[in-house]
Amino acid sequence: VGILHDKPADFDAAYIVPPRDEHTLMRTMKRCMTDAKTRLNVAINGQREAKKYTWPIISNIAETIYRDTL
């Protein structure tokens, strides 16, 4: 959903499952609970990805877009 809907299947900053697919969601949740190494990698990569969407960065991007359209 949202900003993650077009991420590739190998996106490593979040666990992504198709909408309304409870079996894949179940398997993914089980993997998250049992695979500590992958869980840590997803957490680290997720934090790195989330930093791309902080308000200072978003406002700079918006400002650049508006400036370039004038």
Side-chain angles (χ1 to χ4, degrees), residues 43-58:
I44 291 168
N45 294 331
Q47 286 179 328
R48 186 179 317 118
E49 183 72 15
K51 288 180 182 178
K52 296 177 185 177
Y53 303 99
T54 62
W55 283 117
I57 291 173
I58 291 171

Side-chain angles (χ1 to χ4, degrees), residues 4-53:
L4 299 178
H5 77 279
D6 63 345
K7 294 296 182 185
D10 63 347
F11 183 64
D12 61 355
Y15 293 100
I16 300 176
V17 297
R20 295 182 280 289
D21 185 344
E22 62 274 3
H23 295 291
T24 301
L25 176 60
M26 176 190 65
R27 286 191 304 273
T28 303
M29 290 174 71
K30 185 176 181 180
R31 181 176 181 208
C32 177
M33 291 185 285
T34 59
D35 186 342
K37 182 178 179 182
T38 299
R39 185 175 58 243
L40 178 61
N41 286 333
V42 169
I44 291 168
N45 294 331
Q47 286 179 328
R48 186 179 317 118
E49 183 72 15
K51 288 180 182 178
K52 296 177 185 177
Y53 303 99

